[in-house]
Amino acid sequence: MSASERAIELLTAAAEAAHDKKAENVLAFDVSEQLAITDAFLVASASNDRQVRAIVDAIEEKLRVDFDAKPVRREGAREGRWVLLDYLEIVIHVQHDEERAFYSLERLWRDCPVIALPSPVPGSARPGAE
């Protein structure tokens, strides 16, 4: 079994929103074979707490507006170091660069297939977006 079509659509939209806020190292993994609770993970990082929160806000807005999707769980938003958004089909991790390097989720899930995401379009971020 692999990630559902809806999971891929949500991942793609979330990745686009993250790229619009200049997220770095945006990766997606199909974890459907290893976990029964979700199909896929999206992992992104940012260089500061404010940017982590901006990325999270952009992802939530994009998924709410385009897919009428709201996270069933949201953790870590106050601190802005590692925010987890659980949409059931997908789980999104937006991490500060230091947490990303320390916890290395991509190493933990390296046996899972990587899901291809659209590349960021140069200059696609809105002026002043951070």
Side-chain angles (χ1 to χ4, degrees):
M1 190 164 122
S2 60
S4 69
E5 186 175 318
R6 173 151 169 98
I8 302 297
E9 290 173 350
L10 292 171
L11 284 173
T12 301
E16 289 170 356
H19 285 307
D20 283 348
K21 292 297 181 180
K22 300 182 181 175
E24 301 165 354
N25 242 345
V26 181
L27 299 172
F29 299 95
D30 183 335
V31 296
S32 60
E33 293 290 323
Q34 286 74 18
L35 296 174
I37 58 171
T38 192
D39 283 353
F41 283 169
L42 181 78
V43 182
S45 55
S47 59
N48 61 65
D49 303 355
R50 183 174 163 211
Q51 188 179 8
V52 167
R53 287 190 289 270
I55 293 166
V56 168
D57 290 346
I59 290 170
E60 284 187 300
E61 180 179 350
K62 175 88 172 161
L63 296 185
R64 186 183 71 250
V65 169
D66 292 359
F67 296 92
D68 194 31
K70 296 178 184 172
V72 296
R73 190 174 74 193
R74 183 181 204 248
E75 295 181 9
R78 182 175 297 159
E79 298 82 16
R81 302 290 295 182
W82 181 349
V83 180
L84 179 142
L85 300 172
D86 184 348
Y87 285 89
L88 297 179
E89 294 102 336
I90 66 170
V91 174
I92 299 168
H93 301 270
V94 182
Q95 299 174 299
H96 190 285
D97 288 337
E98 293 170 2
E99 274 69 13
R100 179 84 179 255
F102 183 79
Y103 290 101
S104 189
L105 294 179
E106 52 269 31
R107 188 190 73 226
L108 182 65
W109 298 103
R110 69 178 171 247
D111 293 337
C112 297
V114 173
I115 298 171
L117 296 171
S119 298
V121 178
S124 66
R126 292 184 295 274
E130 190 172 286

